[in-house]
Amino acid sequence: MAEPSWQETIRLRLVERNAKESAYASIIEQYRRLAQQTKLLKERNASLLRAMGTARANPSSSTVFVPGSAEENPVRAAYIASLESQISSLRDELATVYKTQGQNAQRLLAMNETLREKEELSRVDSENLRKAREEIATLRRKVDQHNELMAEKDRTAQILHDEISALQLELSQIEERNQTLTKDNAKLLQRWLDAKQAEVNRMNEANDFYEDMQSRRQAALNSRPIPGNGADDMSDVQSISQSSASGKGEETKETGSTTKKDGTPSPRETGVKLTPNG
């Protein structure tokens, strides 16, 4: 798993600090070695000076080393002590170098292990990045498809909106036409009812007139004396009937109705012709 961001930040800052602090490490080490060598030289020179002082105080002693001589030369002894001190210092320095080399080897192993872990993390991150890029490409394709689909739906919705507007306009026209036809039908129905009412009134008047004539004829027949000649009676009845019929015919001609042979009114033909426009 990848390290948290704050831990990575702290690690990077520590690395930067160590890099800044160790920028002059080599120069400091050189100065340290130079100082140590200077110290050794000073000690050796002091030993040599002490040996020279001893040799001058004792003129019988020789400053030249003679092999196999029993007596020890002070200069040689000082030089040997200086060399032994230098060898000891070099041994210490060599041990320090070996120790530092071992530490560096351990650090190198640790750094190699860290590098391997970092490479593994980098590989995992690279794989995740590749998958993320593929997923982003797939999502972009889906977004493009959704955009095309939405554009197609918008076009379809615009077409439907236009059709709805056209249908609403047509519906409003049809409603206006229906209102006009309703008003025309109401007018035609009123006119038809008025015509029928007038026809009923005329029929009632005709019936009243016919009943009046019948009652008059009956009254005339009842009021006249009965003669001995039956033929005269029949001629009088026929003349009264003809006069009644002629009066009734004129009335029915004016009202547009006719009567049957038995004197009852027949359904007349109405003279009003209804049209769709009234």
Side-chain angles (χ1 to χ4, degrees), residues 158-187:
Q158 185 64 34
I159 294 173
L160 292 176
H161 186 270
D162 296 337
E163 292 181 355
I164 289 172
S165 299
L167 292 174
Q168 286 179 351
L169 180 60
E170 185 177 358
L171 181 61
S172 63
Q173 293 177 355
I174 291 173
E175 288 178 354
E176 291 178 357
R177 190 181 303 169
N178 287 335
Q179 291 177 359
T180 303
L181 292 175
T182 302
K183 292 179 181 179
D184 293 339
N185 289 332
K187 291 179 180 179

Short mmCIF file of all heavy atoms in Angstrom, two decimals, residues 158-187:
data_model
loop_
_atom_site.label_atom_id
_atom_site.label_comp_id
_atom_site.label_asym_id
_atom_site.label_seq_id
_atom_site.Cartn_x
_atom_site.Cartn_y
_atom_site.Cartn_z
N GLN A 158 -38.13 18.63 -29.36
CA GLN A 158 -38.48 19.83 -30.11
C GLN A 158 -39.52 19.50 -31.19
O GLN A 158 -40.48 20.26 -31.40
CB GLN A 158 -37.21 20.42 -30.75
CG GLN A 158 -37.45 21.73 -31.47
CD GLN A 158 -37.90 22.83 -30.53
OE1 GLN A 158 -37.47 22.86 -29.37
NE2 GLN A 158 -38.75 23.72 -30.99
N ILE A 159 -39.32 18.35 -31.86
CA ILE A 159 -40.30 17.94 -32.88
C ILE A 159 -41.67 17.71 -32.24
O ILE A 159 -42.71 18.15 -32.75
CB ILE A 159 -39.80 16.68 -33.61
CG1 ILE A 159 -38.53 17.01 -34.42
CG2 ILE A 159 -40.88 16.12 -34.52
CD1 ILE A 159 -37.87 15.80 -35.03
N LEU A 160 -41.67 16.99 -31.09
CA LEU A 160 -42.94 16.74 -30.40
C LEU A 160 -43.58 18.04 -29.91
O LEU A 160 -44.81 18.19 -29.96
CB LEU A 160 -42.69 15.80 -29.21
CG LEU A 160 -42.30 14.37 -29.56
CD1 LEU A 160 -41.99 13.59 -28.30
CD2 LEU A 160 -43.40 13.68 -30.35
N HIS A 161 -42.73 18.97 -29.47
CA HIS A 161 -43.26 20.26 -29.01
C HIS A 161 -43.91 21.01 -30.17
O HIS A 161 -45.00 21.60 -30.03
CB HIS A 161 -42.13 21.08 -28.41
CG HIS A 161 -42.59 22.37 -27.79
ND1 HIS A 161 -42.66 23.56 -28.50
CD2 HIS A 161 -43.03 22.66 -26.54
CE1 HIS A 161 -43.11 24.51 -27.71
NE2 HIS A 161 -43.34 24.00 -26.52
N ASP A 162 -43.26 20.96 -31.34
CA ASP A 162 -43.85 21.61 -32.52
C ASP A 162 -45.16 20.93 -32.91
O ASP A 162 -46.15 21.62 -33.24
CB ASP A 162 -42.87 21.56 -33.69
CG ASP A 162 -41.60 22.36 -33.40
OD1 ASP A 162 -41.67 23.26 -32.53
OD2 ASP A 162 -40.56 22.09 -34.03
N GLU A 163 -45.17 19.59 -32.87
CA GLU A 163 -46.41 18.88 -33.20
C GLU A 163 -47.51 19.19 -32.20
O GLU A 163 -48.68 19.37 -32.58
CB GLU A 163 -46.14 17.37 -33.25
CG GLU A 163 -45.25 16.94 -34.40
CD GLU A 163 -45.02 15.45 -34.41
OE1 GLU A 163 -45.49 14.78 -33.46
OE2 GLU A 163 -44.38 14.95 -35.36
N ILE A 164 -47.13 19.26 -30.92
CA ILE A 164 -48.13 19.60 -29.88
C ILE A 164 -48.68 21.01 -30.12
O ILE A 164 -49.89 21.24 -29.97
CB ILE A 164 -47.51 19.47 -28.49
CG1 ILE A 164 -47.28 17.99 -28.16
CG2 ILE A 164 -48.40 20.09 -27.43
CD1 ILE A 164 -46.49 17.78 -26.88
N SER A 165 -47.80 21.94 -30.48
CA SER A 165 -48.26 23.30 -30.75
C SER A 165 -49.23 23.32 -31.93
O SER A 165 -50.27 23.99 -31.89
CB SER A 165 -47.05 24.19 -31.03
OG SER A 165 -46.18 24.24 -29.91
N ALA A 166 -48.86 22.57 -33.00
CA ALA A 166 -49.74 22.50 -34.16
C ALA A 166 -51.09 21.87 -33.80
O ALA A 166 -52.16 22.35 -34.22
CB ALA A 166 -49.07 21.72 -35.29
N LEU A 167 -51.04 20.77 -33.00
CA LEU A 167 -52.28 20.12 -32.58
C LEU A 167 -53.12 21.01 -31.68
O LEU A 167 -54.36 21.02 -31.77
CB LEU A 167 -51.95 18.80 -31.86
CG LEU A 167 -51.37 17.68 -32.75
CD1 LEU A 167 -50.96 16.50 -31.89
CD2 LEU A 167 -52.37 17.26 -33.82
N GLN A 168 -52.45 21.77 -30.79
CA GLN A 168 -53.18 22.70 -29.94
C GLN A 168 -53.86 23.78 -30.78
O GLN A 168 -55.01 24.17 -30.52
CB GLN A 168 -52.24 23.32 -28.92
CG GLN A 168 -51.83 22.37 -27.81
CD GLN A 168 -50.89 23.00 -26.83
OE1 GLN A 168 -50.40 24.11 -27.06
NE2 GLN A 168 -50.61 22.32 -25.71
N LEU A 169 -53.14 24.28 -31.80
CA LEU A 169 -53.74 25.27 -32.68
C LEU A 169 -54.94 24.69 -33.43
O LEU A 169 -56.00 25.33 -33.51
CB LEU A 169 -52.69 25.78 -33.66
CG LEU A 169 -53.14 26.84 -34.67
CD1 LEU A 169 -53.64 28.09 -33.95
CD2 LEU A 169 -52.01 27.19 -35.62
N GLU A 170 -54.75 23.46 -33.93
CA GLU A 170 -55.86 22.81 -34.63
C GLU A 170 -57.02 22.54 -33.69
O GLU A 170 -58.19 22.70 -34.07
CB GLU A 170 -55.35 21.51 -35.26
CG GLU A 170 -56.38 20.80 -36.12
CD GLU A 170 -55.81 19.56 -36.77
OE1 GLU A 170 -54.61 19.28 -36.57
OE2 GLU A 170 -56.57 18.86 -37.47
N LEU A 171 -56.68 22.15 -32.43
CA LEU A 171 -57.74 21.90 -31.46
C LEU A 171 -58.51 23.17 -31.13
O LEU A 171 -59.75 23.15 -31.00
CB LEU A 171 -57.11 21.31 -30.19
CG LEU A 171 -58.08 20.97 -29.05
CD1 LEU A 171 -59.09 19.92 -29.49
CD2 LEU A 171 -57.31 20.50 -27.83
N SER A 172 -57.78 24.27 -31.01
CA SER A 172 -58.47 25.54 -30.74
C SER A 172 -59.38 25.92 -31.90
O SER A 172 -60.51 26.40 -31.69
CB SER A 172 -57.43 26.64 -30.48
OG SER A 172 -56.63 26.84 -31.63
N GLN A 173 -58.90 25.68 -33.13
CA GLN A 173 -59.76 25.96 -34.30
C GLN A 173 -60.98 25.07 -34.29
O GLN A 173 -62.10 25.53 -34.59
CB GLN A 173 -58.96 25.78 -35.58
CG GLN A 173 -57.84 26.80 -35.77
CD GLN A 173 -57.02 26.55 -37.01
OE1 GLN A 173 -57.23 25.54 -37.71
NE2 GLN A 173 -56.09 27.44 -37.30
N ILE A 174 -60.77 23.78 -33.96
CA ILE A 174 -61.91 22.86 -33.92
C ILE A 174 -62.89 23.26 -32.82
O ILE A 174 -64.12 23.20 -33.00
CB ILE A 174 -61.40 21.42 -33.72
CG1 ILE A 174 -60.66 20.95 -34.97
CG2 ILE A 174 -62.55 20.47 -33.41
CD1 ILE A 174 -59.97 19.62 -34.81
N GLU A 175 -62.37 23.68 -31.67
CA GLU A 175 -63.25 24.13 -30.60
C GLU A 175 -64.04 25.36 -31.01
O GLU A 175 -65.24 25.47 -30.72
CB GLU A 175 -62.42 24.42 -29.35
CG GLU A 175 -61.89 23.16 -28.66
CD GLU A 175 -61.04 23.49 -27.45
OE1 GLU A 175 -60.78 24.70 -27.25
OE2 GLU A 175 -60.66 22.56 -26.71
N GLU A 176 -63.37 26.31 -31.68
CA GLU A 176 -64.11 27.47 -32.18
C GLU A 176 -65.19 27.06 -33.17
O GLU A 176 -66.32 27.57 -33.13
CB GLU A 176 -63.13 28.44 -32.83
CG GLU A 176 -62.18 29.11 -31.85
CD GLU A 176 -61.19 30.03 -32.55
OE1 GLU A 176 -61.23 30.07 -33.80
OE2 GLU A 176 -60.39 30.69 -31.86
N ARG A 177 -64.84 26.10 -34.06
CA ARG A 177 -65.83 25.62 -35.04
C ARG A 177 -66.98 24.92 -34.32
O ARG A 177 -68.16 25.10 -34.70
CB ARG A 177 -65.15 24.68 -36.02
CG ARG A 177 -66.00 24.29 -37.23
CD ARG A 177 -65.24 23.33 -38.11
NE ARG A 177 -63.98 23.92 -38.54
CZ ARG A 177 -63.02 23.22 -39.15
NH1 ARG A 177 -63.19 21.92 -39.37
NH2 ARG A 177 -61.90 23.82 -39.50
N ASN A 178 -66.64 24.13 -33.28
CA ASN A 178 -67.70 23.45 -32.53
C ASN A 178 -68.60 24.45 -31.81
O ASN A 178 -69.83 24.28 -31.76
CB ASN A 178 -67.07 22.51 -31.50
CG ASN A 178 -66.46 21.28 -32.14
OD1 ASN A 178 -66.88 20.87 -33.23
ND2 ASN A 178 -65.48 20.69 -31.49
N GLN A 179 -68.00 25.50 -31.26
CA GLN A 179 -68.81 26.53 -30.62
C GLN A 179 -69.73 27.20 -31.63
O GLN A 179 -70.92 27.46 -31.35
CB GLN A 179 -67.91 27.56 -29.94
CG GLN A 179 -67.15 27.02 -28.73
CD GLN A 179 -66.22 28.04 -28.12
OE1 GLN A 179 -66.12 29.16 -28.64
NE2 GLN A 179 -65.53 27.67 -27.05
N THR A 180 -69.16 27.47 -32.83
CA THR A 180 -69.99 28.10 -33.88
C THR A 180 -71.13 27.17 -34.29
O THR A 180 -72.30 27.60 -34.43
CB THR A 180 -69.12 28.44 -35.08
OG1 THR A 180 -68.05 29.30 -34.66
CG2 THR A 180 -69.94 29.17 -36.15
N LEU A 181 -70.80 25.87 -34.47
CA LEU A 181 -71.83 24.90 -34.85
C LEU A 181 -72.86 24.73 -33.74
O LEU A 181 -74.06 24.56 -34.01
CB LEU A 181 -71.19 23.56 -35.18
CG LEU A 181 -70.33 23.51 -36.45
CD1 LEU A 181 -69.66 22.16 -36.58
CD2 LEU A 181 -71.19 23.81 -37.69
N THR A 182 -72.40 24.78 -32.50
CA THR A 182 -73.35 24.68 -31.37
C THR A 182 -74.33 25.85 -31.37
O THR A 182 -75.54 25.68 -31.17
CB THR A 182 -72.57 24.63 -30.06
OG1 THR A 182 -71.67 23.52 -30.08
CG2 THR A 182 -73.52 24.47 -28.88
N LYS A 183 -73.77 27.04 -31.60
CA LYS A 183 -74.66 28.21 -31.66
C LYS A 183 -75.62 28.10 -32.84
O LYS A 183 -76.81 28.40 -32.70
CB LYS A 183 -73.81 29.48 -31.80
CG LYS A 183 -73.00 29.79 -30.56
CD LYS A 183 -72.15 31.04 -30.76
CE LYS A 183 -71.32 31.35 -29.53
NZ LYS A 183 -70.46 32.55 -29.71
N ASP A 184 -75.11 27.65 -34.02
CA ASP A 184 -75.99 27.48 -35.18
C ASP A 184 -77.06 26.44 -34.92
O ASP A 184 -78.25 26.64 -35.27
CB ASP A 184 -75.17 27.10 -36.42
CG ASP A 184 -74.25 28.22 -36.87
OD1 ASP A 184 -74.51 29.39 -36.50
OD2 ASP A 184 -73.26 27.95 -37.58
N ASN A 185 -76.67 25.33 -34.29
CA ASN A 185 -77.66 24.29 -33.97
C ASN A 185 -78.71 24.81 -32.99
O ASN A 185 -79.90 24.49 -33.11
CB ASN A 185 -76.95 23.07 -33.38
CG ASN A 185 -76.14 22.32 -34.41
OD1 ASN A 185 -76.47 22.35 -35.60
ND2 ASN A 185 -75.09 21.65 -33.97
N ALA A 186 -78.24 25.62 -32.00
CA ALA A 186 -79.21 26.19 -31.07
C ALA A 186 -80.20 27.10 -31.78
O ALA A 186 -81.41 27.08 -31.52
CB ALA A 186 -78.47 26.94 -29.96
N LYS A 187 -79.64 27.93 -32.72
CA LYS A 187 -80.53 28.81 -33.49
C LYS A 187 -81.51 28.02 -34.33
O LYS A 187 -82.71 28.32 -34.39
CB LYS A 187 -79.71 29.74 -34.37
CG LYS A 187 -78.90 30.77 -33.60
CD LYS A 187 -78.10 31.64 -34.54
CE LYS A 187 -77.28 32.67 -33.77
NZ LYS A 187 -76.47 33.52 -34.70
#
